[in-house]
Amino acid sequence: MSKKTLKRIAEALERLSPAAQPAPDFTQAAAFVWHADPDRLEPVSKVNRVAVDLLVGVDRSRDTLMANTAQFASGLPANNALLWGARGMGKSSLVKAVHGAVHLDYPDLKIVEVQREDLPSIGRCLNMLRGADARFIMFCDDLSFGHDDAHYKSLKAVLDGGIEGRPDNVVLYATSNRRHLMPRDMIENERSSAISPSEAVEEKVSLSDRFGLWLGFHPCDQDEYLAMIRGYCDAYGVTIDDATLRAEAIEWQATRGSRSGRVAWQYFTDLAGRQGVQLA
């Protein structure tokens, strides 16, 4: 085979599997997104988040996560955190808001978002972060696992095990609608079908046990729902009387069959649009 042919083959293979990019200059942004194939950390110029003061009804979780994050940012020991519970109640919003608040005092605190489908490459991401001067919140949103899903094994070494372990400058924050990161019927199926039911379940739920902080989020009541909207109105300068807000907001949540922080923001977005108020 000629050298020319070998060169063409090598170039084709390189296009199919591009080389990993070097770690970026972490001073250029406060947030990054991890991508695999090729491995790279892309800076995010503007993070999609709200101010931490606008998150209503999650005071205890907010204070706990804020304290943990401030400890970590200052170089002290801190726990990995699992934010679990009702959908639309601000789990991911809280992570981003807390990072934004703590980042003001600790500019070297960065947040790195990792998509669930990229979990098998998480070790390579850690290698990029390990030697950096900055400190990193590794953020995985909507984390859950189904039947025969082995992605959770990729996280175990990050959280607690492995020879290298988690770098001292990295902490993991994850959100999930499920406390044990998998459906209840899947856990029950493991118990009923496995040769050793307890061992089968332990293997699956051991991942959630490796988070030092469990922060629960529960459905909001009507007063909290209305308070969320009023807080958004005050923050963005949207004027509406209490009676009209109450009537419209309750009708809005009734048409969606649910009441949550997400529904409150959706109603407020509609209200701001009708009044010609920009939210950017």
Side-chain angles (χ1 to χ4, degrees):
M1 191 176 293
S2 67
K3 291 183 178 180
K4 190 174 182 179
T5 301
L6 289 172
K7 183 178 179 181
R8 286 204 305 269
I9 293 173
E11 290 173 348
L13 290 173
E14 187 174 341
R15 287 193 297 271
L16 289 173
S17 181
Q21 297 182 12
D25 176 6
F26 290 115
T27 63
Q28 65 181 311
F32 298 82
V33 176
W34 169 253
H35 295 285
D37 196 23
D39 294 347
R40 64 197 187 279
L41 283 165
E42 291 189 355
V44 178
S45 58
K46 183 178 180 180
V47 178
N48 177 29
R49 61 180 161 215
V50 298
V52 70
D53 293 339
L54 292 179
L55 299 176
V56 175
V58 293
D59 295 6
R60 184 174 181 180
S61 295
R62 178 200 62 207
D63 294 346
T64 301
L65 193 65
M66 185 78 80
N68 190 69
T69 306
Q71 285 176 204
F72 173 70
S74 63
L76 296 171
N79 274 304
N80 300 307
L82 174 63
L83 291 71
W84 68 275
R87 68 184 190 276
M89 281 306 298
K91 298 183 292 294
S92 59
S93 295
L94 181 60
V95 172
K96 292 182 288 185
V98 164
H99 168 256
V102 177
H103 176 72
L104 294 175
D105 294 324
Y106 298 93
D108 287 336
L109 179 66
K110 314 295 181 179
I111 188 168
V112 175
E113 184 174 26
V114 178
Q115 302 296 328
R116 181 189 170 282
E117 57 268 23
D118 290 329
L119 287 179
S121 66
I122 198 170
R124 302 197 298 274
C125 178
L126 289 177
N127 287 336
M128 281 195 185
L129 307 180
R130 191 179 299 274
D133 292 333
R135 300 183 73 77
F136 302 93
I137 298 171
M138 183 172 281
F139 173 46
C140 189
D141 191 23
D142 197 19
L143 187 63
S144 62
F145 304 100
H147 186 64
D148 293 333
D149 189 341
H151 280 18
Y152 72 94
K153 294 182 179 179
S154 302
L155 279 180
K156 282 193 173 182
V158 178
L159 290 168
D160 202 27
I163 294 176
E164 288 185 301
R166 173 170 55 89
D168 291 336
N169 64 334
V170 178
V171 70
L172 177 66
Y173 289 176
T175 70
S176 178
N177 294 336
R178 303 160 180 167
R179 183 176 182 180
H180 291 296
L181 306 178
M182 63 192 61
R184 182 175 296 275
D185 60 348
M186 180 178 165
I187 295 176
E188 295 303 324
N189 182 63
E190 292 283 0
R191 287 197 176 103
S192 63
S193 61
I195 296 176
S196 178
S198 61
E199 289 183 4
V201 173
E202 282 295 319
E203 170 69 12
K204 299 293 185 181
V205 304
S206 62
L207 177 61
S208 60
D209 287 342
R210 298 182 185 220
F211 289 90
L213 290 180
W214 283 11
L215 304 178
F217 288 70
H218 308 287
C220 61
D221 60 27
Q222 188 163 282
D223 288 342
E224 289 174 334
Y225 169 70
L226 295 173
M228 292 173 188
I229 299 171
R230 175 53 68 189
Y232 294 143
C233 290
D234 293 343
Y236 289 96
V238 173
T239 304
I240 184 172
D241 63 89
D242 289 341
T244 303
L245 186 151
R246 182 182 182 87
E248 289 188 359
I250 291 176
E251 180 182 4
W252 184 275
Q253 62 116 84
T255 62
R256 277 144 190 80
S258 66
R259 183 172 54 221
S260 68
R262 181 177 295 128
V263 173
W265 177 258
Q266 289 167 348
Y267 164 72
F268 171 71
T269 300
D270 177 76
L271 176 63
R274 285 188 276 125
Q275 294 196 9
V277 176
Q278 295 285 345
L279 302 182

